[in-house]
Structure formats: structure tokens, C-alpha cells
């Protein structure tokens, strides 16, 4: 299958007509969101959804996030018991990188929810994604657009692994946040954070008071191998220990990701965790492409967006040193 890549001009609706037709016809479309690229299909159609699993090689029990247009759509597809909690979170964070876990209505097939009675729903803060949902008049089930186990794609280069596997990719440039949404189970109070993401724990607490965090993160997908590149990845705390690690293990071409200045090796210096979050998957991917044999990443602070990046890097890393 030849993959068509389209760019968007000022009139989004007319540029995405073909994508809308594909979604309506049970086909798969790759599109940008504010977090990462998604690979989407009609979330009400089991055959369409199964195509996503097949293309990604995704385990069938790893549920998908349903992307919808606004709050009315949430009520259409889910049963909301804690209405005031949903209202407060919605008003503060939606559209945006927050995903709500709610009881699903029967119209949602179990293929979409990985066999669960709950459904994950979010409203993306991205004009292309929103137009695709609105124009097709369908909730779009979309996990991150990568082969399972690989870093989530944040630009068209990283989507190369899907070329010839999907009929159409909408190129919307580099995504804004760069890591996936925060997943919160709001079926009961206090909410449970199942996956930390671009909305931070501190921000959630300001809105709902109390939140529960299970450090092993019990969201179904989190048990799988994730964000892996063929280059070895090591998270370090102390720079001198990191230099010793490179030397003692005979790595020849290491790449450092750090706030600190480093002279003897190639390095990406970041100034804030927001910046690191928007670049992290791309950096992993580019180090692999450019043939580095080791990626040394300074361990982020376990707060704010640093906490969410740490969660991803714990999965991506092969080694952890002090
Ligand atoms: P992805 O879009 O690839 O980042 O994956 C979506 C993730 O959302 C899954 O791996 C789960 O961790 C989470 N998720 C989706 N549906 C549910 C659900 N019904 N209950 C709990 N977590 C979910
Ligand atoms: Mg994913």
C-alpha cells in the first residue's frame, strides 16, 4: 500500500476531505495531535479498530483512547457518575493532554477498550485532529502512531516506520508537548492517575484536591515494553559516574542529554523539562538514526513534568546509574 502524505493549508476542512472519507470507510489515518501523532480509526467499528492493532503490532488487551469533539460527546459514549469532577477537570484542561477513564456505554466495542468495561476519552487540543473528528462525526480511536514498543512519533521522519502500512498521513509538523496525555480514572473520588503526562500531578491537585498515584501505574498499556530504540539507553545522576560508565564499558560514540555543559562528547543541553519533554522521543530516535552506540540521559527531577518524563525514561532505559 502506498502511503499518501498530505500537508494542510489554511482551509483545514477542505484539505482533510480524503482523510474524513477514509475514517468513514473504516480505514486508518495518521494525524497530528498536541501530544504525539495518533493512528486513528472509527472507534465504534470493530473491524476498523482491529486494523490499528494489526498495523502497530499492538497487544489486543492494550486499550485505545477515544478522541472526541467536546463534553457532549463524552456523555454520548460514557457513563459519568462524578459529574462535578469531570466538569472541573474539563473546564481546566480540555481540550488538552488529559484522558478520562469512565464506564463505557454499549455502543463502544470491546476491541476499542481492550476487553475492558471502561473507556478512555480525551479531547485533543489540535485543529487538525478536531476537524477530523467533527467532519467525520465519529469518535476516533487512536493510540500513538508508532510500531508497538517504539518511541511515539512527534514528526514526519519518525513516522517512516508506518510508510506503506497506512493509506494516509496528515503532516502537521512537530507536535507541541511531545509526550502522551495524562490518564486519570475519574469513576470514583479521589481520581487515580494511571499514567502521568503533560498535565502534571501538581496541576491536577489544584483542581480536585486529592489524587491517588500508584507508583507501578496500573494502566493496562503500561506493562508493555515501551519507547525502545536499538541504541543502548542509560539514565544517570552524576556526570563523573556517567563518564566512567562510558569508559569502562567501551562505548565509542555516546550522546549526552543533560542540563550540564559537556566538552568531550556530543550533547543536547536542555534548559527546562518542558523543553525536554517536547524533544525526548525525537532525540532517542535521532540518536539511533545517526548511529550513536549509547544515549546518556540525566535523570529528571521527580516533580512537575519531570515526573512524567522520568516515567517514560524508566521504560526506555537499559541501565540506571548513580
Ligand atoms: P497510547 O495512546 O499508545 O499512549 O495508549 C493509550 C493508553 O491509554 C493505554 O496504553 C492505557 O495505558 C491507557 N488506557 C486506554 N484505555 C484505558 C482504560 N479503559 N483503562 C485504563 N487505561 C486505559
Ligand atoms: Mg503508545
Amino acid at each position: 500500500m502506498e502511503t499518501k502524505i498530505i500537508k494542510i493549508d489554511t482551509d483545514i476542512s477542505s484539505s482533510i476531505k480524503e482523510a474524513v472519507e477514509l475514517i468513514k470507510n473504516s480505514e486508518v489515518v495518521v494525524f497530528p495531535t498536541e501530544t504525539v501523532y495518533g493512528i486513528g480509526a472509527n472507534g465504534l467499528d470493530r473491524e476498523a479498530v482491529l486494523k490499528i492493532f494489526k498495523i502497530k503490532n499492538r497487544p489486543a488487551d492494550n486499550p485505545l483512547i477515544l478522541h472526541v469533539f467536546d463534553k457532549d460527546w463524552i456523555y454520548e459514549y460514557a457513563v459519568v457518575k462524578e459529574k462535578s469532577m469531570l466538569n472541573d477537570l474539563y473546564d481546566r484542561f480540555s481540550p488538552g493532554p488529559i484522558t478520562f477513564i469512565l464506564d463505557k456505554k454499549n455502543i463502544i466495542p470491546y476491541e476499542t477498550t481492550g476487553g475492558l468495561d471502561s473507556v478512555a476519552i480525551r479531547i485533543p487540543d489540535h485543529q487538525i485532529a478536531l476537524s477530523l473528528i467533527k467532519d467525520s462525526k465519529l469518535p476516533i480511536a487512536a493510540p500513538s502512531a508508532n510500531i508497538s514498543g517504539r518511541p511515539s512519533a512527534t514528526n514526519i521522519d519518525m513516522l517512516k516506520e508506518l510508510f506503506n502500512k497506512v493509506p494516509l498521513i496528515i503532516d502537521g509538523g512537530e507536535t507541541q508537548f511531545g509526550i502522551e496525555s495524562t490518564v486519570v480514572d475519574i469513576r470514583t473520588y479521589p481520581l487515580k492517575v494511571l499514567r502521568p503526562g503533560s498535565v502534571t500531578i501538581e496541576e491536577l491537585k489544584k483542581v480536585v484536591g486529592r489524587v491517588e498515584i500508584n507508583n507501578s501505574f496500573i494502566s493496562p498499556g503500561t506493562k508493555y515494553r515501551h519507547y525502545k530504540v536499538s541504541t543502548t539507553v542509560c539514565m544517570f545522576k552524576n556526570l563523573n559516574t556517567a563518564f566512567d560508565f562510558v569508559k569502562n564499558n567501551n562505548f565509542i560514540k555516546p550522546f549526552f542529554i543533560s542540563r550540564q555543559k559537556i566538552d568531550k562528547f556530543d550533547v543536547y543541553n536542555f534548559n527546562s523539562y518542558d523543553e525536554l519533554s517536547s524533544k525526548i522521543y525525537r532525540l532517542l530516535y535521532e540518536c539511533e538514526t545517526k548511529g550513536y552506540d549509547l544515549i546518556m540521559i540525566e535523570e529528571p527531577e521527580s516533580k512537575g513534568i519531570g515526573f512524567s518524563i522520568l516515567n517514560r525514561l524508566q521504560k526506555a532505559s537499559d541501565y540506571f546509574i548513580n
Side-chain angles (χ1 to χ4, degrees):
M1 169 192 306
E2 182 142 1
T3 301
K4 183 167 176 181
I5 297 170
I6 58 163
K7 290 214 181 221
I8 301 297
D9 58 33
T10 40
D11 184 354
I12 296 179
S13 268
S14 71
S15 322
I16 63 166
K17 270 206 177 96
E18 201 177 335
V20 170
E21 285 312 307
L22 286 166
I23 294 286
K24 285 190 192 161
N25 287 312
S26 309
E27 284 301 332
V28 166
V29 168
V30 172
F31 62 96
T33 79
E34 82 283 28
T35 57
V36 299
Y37 274 80
I39 172 167
N42 177 358
L44 305 179
D45 178 342
R46 57 188 84 230
E47 298 305 324
V49 161
L50 287 175
K51 289 181 185 169
I52 299 177
F53 283 90
K54 190 159 177 236
I55 294 167
K56 283 194 57 141
N57 194 21
R58 183 175 176 102
D61 66 349
N62 190 356
L64 309 181
I65 295 174
L66 210 55
H67 292 68
V68 304
F69 189 70
D70 64 16
K71 205 199 290 175
D72 289 345
W73 290 44
I74 299 182
Y75 279 89
E76 176 112 18
Y77 301 116
V79 181
V80 183
K81 294 194 192 104
E82 299 285 341
K83 293 196 176 58
S84 70
M85 185 154 58
L86 173 66
N87 282 341
D88 293 348
L89 291 167
Y90 185 94
D91 290 347
R92 170 68 180 83
F93 301 116
S94 295
I98 188 164
T99 297
F100 306 112
I101 304 297
L102 293 157
D103 290 316
K104 81 172 191 74
K105 286 195 175 164
N106 285 337
I107 189 172
I108 311 289
Y110 281 110
E111 282 75 5
T112 299
T113 66
L116 298 171
D117 289 317
S118 56
V119 59
I121 304 191
R122 90 174 187 101
I123 294 104
D125 187 12
H126 196 291
Q127 285 317 313
I128 296 173
L130 286 172
S131 299
L132 197 57
I133 297 161
K134 189 161 168 252
D135 293 358
S136 63
K137 301 188 183 65
L138 288 168
I140 299 183
S144 52
N146 52 276
I147 302 298
S148 278
R150 298 274 297 157
S152 307
T154 61
N155 63 25
I156 191 81
D157 282 339
M158 297 174 76
L159 289 167
K160 278 194 187 119
E161 2 190 290
L162 294 177
F163 284 10
N164 302 324
K165 293 194 165 81
V166 295
L168 190 139
I169 294 177
I170 305 174
D171 181 1
E174 200 80 38
T175 61
Q176 181 194 347
F177 288 106
I179 63 168
E180 302 86 345
S181 61
T182 302
V183 179
V184 290
D185 184 342
I186 58 165
R187 286 174 294 176
T188 51
Y189 184 84
L191 64 75
K192 295 181 190 66
V193 180
L194 303 188
R195 176 177 76 183
S198 295
V199 169
T200 66
I201 307 286
E202 291 84 348
E203 287 173 316
L204 287 172
K205 279 186 182 160
K206 272 189 202 152
V207 176
V208 291
R210 214 151 65 81
V211 309
E212 249 175 49
I213 308 163
N214 179 321
N215 275 330
S216 60
F217 292 106
I218 42 185
S219 200
T222 53
K223 69 180 181 221
Y224 292 107
R225 190 189 143 100
H226 257 101
Y227 320 117
K228 291 284 182 196
V229 286
S230 56
T231 313
T232 302
V233 178
C234 175
M235 200 155 48
F236 70 90
K237 288 193 170 119
N238 178 291
L239 202 52
N240 287 324
T241 317
F243 291 150
D244 287 345
F245 181 87
V246 174
K247 199 166 138 211
N248 296 340
N249 294 286
N250 303 316
F251 285 104
I252 294 161
K253 202 180 168 198
F255 186 89
F256 278 72
I257 300 172
S258 171
R259 281 172 304 188
Q260 303 168 73
K261 296 274 165 271
I262 294 165
D263 294 327
K264 51 184 170 182
F265 298 116
D266 289 347
V267 59
Y268 177 83
N269 282 124
F270 59 92
N271 295 308
S272 72
Y273 288 121
D274 283 331
E275 177 194 343
L276 181 61
S277 110
S278 71
K279 300 266 161 58
I280 188 65
Y281 292 144
R282 194 178 107 191
L283 286 167
L284 294 176
Y285 180 85
E286 286 179 358
C287 282
E288 178 186 60
T289 311
K290 290 178 183 160
Y292 287 95
D293 60 358
L294 176 67
I295 304 169
M296 291 297 281
I297 311 182
E298 184 180 294
E299 185 174 311
E301 273 175 53
S302 183
K303 63 176 193 196
I305 192 73
F307 181 68
S308 309
I309 304 170
L310 183 61
N311 167 269
R312 305 299 191 274
L313 291 178
Q314 278 164 343
K315 297 196 174 77
S317 299
D318 304 289
Y319 297 97
F320 303 86
I321 57 172
N322 282 319

